[in-house]
Amino acid sequence: YFGSRTLYKDYSDHEWETWKLTLSKLKFTMLALLFPLFSQVIKRISMEWNLYLCAMYSVMFVCTMVGIHAVAYLMLQIVIIFTAYRLTNSPIVIWMTAMVYSQVKTKLDEYVFPEYEDWIFAGYITMITAAWMNCRCVSFCLDRIWGKVPRESSTLQSFIKLTGYCFYLPLCAMGPLISSKQFQDGLERKHNFDLKLLKFLSAQALRYFVWYIILELMLAFVYQQAFTSKAHFVETMGMWQLCGMCYLLGQFFQLKYVMMYGTSSFMAKLDNIDAPPHPKCIGRIHLYSDMWRHFDVGLYEFMHQYIYTPLAGKNSSFLVRMTITVIIFAFVYVWHGVQDFILVWSILNCFGILCENAAREMAKSPTYTKIESDWLGAHGQRRFHAAISAPLFLMSCLSNFYFFTGMQVGNVIVRRTFSDTWPFGFPFLLFVLYTGSQFSIQVKNWELRKEMENMKKKFA
């Protein structure tokens, strides 16, 4: 009760509820929190044994969480991709094996977790972990084929290191993704326990606690997640209500990953693993490319390192770069799950990136640059860039609503955005997105100035 009123709560976001359920089990929380300390102690005793003992600790933790059958199922993927690597030493075969297995495993899930009660927690955790392991296996194999990481002295040692990397506790189930090179570098680094580390621990713990409270308050008072499965309620909302719900869907999704990625990265950094930062606020990003670059940094770097750079080479043409973009979003579609709403989300994102790339290519033209500078001036150019970004900003938002809510509610939001907002609502919406683009540009410029000032201080 909250006063004299019953306090209801939204439990419809399964991903968030699963993460909370994991934390609520004391043995899981204690084992996870003790891992960085365990790893640092082992590093001081014997750097040679650190990999083996930490791999054993991580595997045992996952086994405790989802069961031995699920761990055997996860190991199957590691064995298959590792075997392809040892037999062929071919990047193409590695990629084909990983992508084919990612589709086959969706059928295997039904046999490993036949009952809904089994799937709701253990099955879901296993499914997410298997997706991350798919990328980690690719990273591990390609880093050694391309010489980014020295090969291990024996097949057994290589397999143990791959297992330790795939099951690495802070990042195993909820991400984010790090490359095998980052993992390798972190294995050899020790922490200095001092006042600076204590301040970092305290500040980060307080920060994530505050965000956790905000997320729980949103679920207790706003219920935006519950509407994702209630298309008939979304149909009857006023446009202001609909826009508010959609905005909060995006903010909740971002804050949820701030918590999940942020806490995992926080614990990995305590073990001196260079894990990616949590997502930047989506309220200050207006470009598709920046959204991909700053939301899931680990996945972005993975796609750039292992898909874009090898295919593009050093001097690729504009057409080649556009084709590679399509290939990347084909991977995004397959990796996230071959479903209709994922397909729509991937296509719209791909189209948005292609539009951005085409605009940047056109902006390189000396003729265009001269016309823009002569006719518009500095302030006019910024207003023009914000104005042409607004429609893409809108499409970015609409594409994400498919990802957040699925096809049915996504279709309702898109239809109502274009049909129920005339003659005044739609132009006003574009104006709001124009001001959002201006704000995003301002923040981006401030970050660039700050980065340049830091570089000057560093080399002064």
Side-chain angles (χ1 to χ4, degrees), residues 227-237 239 242 245-246 398 401-402 405-421:
F227 290 114
T228 61
S229 59
K230 306 291 182 184
H232 57 288
F233 281 125
V234 180
E235 285 275 13
T236 59
M237 284 180 175
M239 286 309 298
L242 182 63
M245 183 201 83
C246 291
L398 295 177
F401 297 144
Y402 278 105
T405 68
M407 283 298 292
Q408 191 177 12
V409 175
N411 284 337
V412 171
I413 294 171
V414 170
R415 179 180 55 75
R416 294 198 62 196
T417 299
F418 290 103
S419 65
D420 295 2
T421 55

Side-chain angles (χ1 to χ4, degrees), residues 241-401:
Q241 291 172 307
L242 182 63
C243 290
M245 183 201 83
C246 291
Y247 179 77
L248 288 173
L249 281 173
Q251 288 298 325
F252 182 88
F253 186 82
Q254 180 250 329
L255 284 178
K256 177 174 68 174
Y257 275 88
V258 165
M259 284 298 302
M260 293 193 301
Y261 281 3
T263 51
S264 297
S265 291
F266 169 57
M267 287 196 293
K269 286 174 182 175
L270 292 180
D271 193 27
N272 260 344
I273 297 290
D274 186 21
H278 61 237
K280 287 188 177 181
C281 177
I282 61 172
R284 37 79 33 113
I285 296 175
H286 73 294
L287 295 176
Y288 272 96
S289 54
D290 285 344
M291 185 66 76
W292 279 95
R293 185 176 289 111
H294 298 302
F295 190 90
D296 193 333
V297 178
L299 182 60
Y300 171 82
E301 290 180 350
F302 173 85
M303 294 188 295
H304 196 274
Q305 275 185 270
Y306 302 109
I307 304 176
Y308 186 86
T309 302
L311 292 176
K314 293 183 178 179
N315 300 305
S316 57
S317 66
F318 171 66
L319 184 59
V320 169
R321 295 197 302 273
M322 297 288 266
T323 304
I324 296 169
T325 300
V326 174
I327 293 171
I328 287 174
F329 280 97
F331 162 75
V332 168
Y333 168 56
V334 172
W335 187 74
H336 278 87
V338 182
Q339 300 179 65
D340 52 1
F341 70 95
I342 299 291
L343 178 62
V344 172
W345 171 70
S346 301
I347 290 173
L348 290 176
N349 273 265
C350 182
F351 180 72
I353 294 288
L354 292 176
C355 288
E356 278 189 39
N357 290 343
R360 288 194 182 96
E361 192 69 19
M362 186 174 69
K364 292 178 183 177
S365 165
T367 304
Y368 174 83
T369 305
K370 187 176 187 307
I371 292 172
E372 191 178 63
S373 59
D374 291 346
W375 288 13
L376 297 176
H379 294 296
Q381 287 179 50
R382 173 167 162 170
R383 295 188 190 101
F384 176 65
H385 293 164
I388 62 174
S389 296
L392 274 182
F393 195 180
L394 175 61
M395 190 172 73
S396 172
C397 296
L398 295 177
S399 71
N400 286 328
F401 297 144

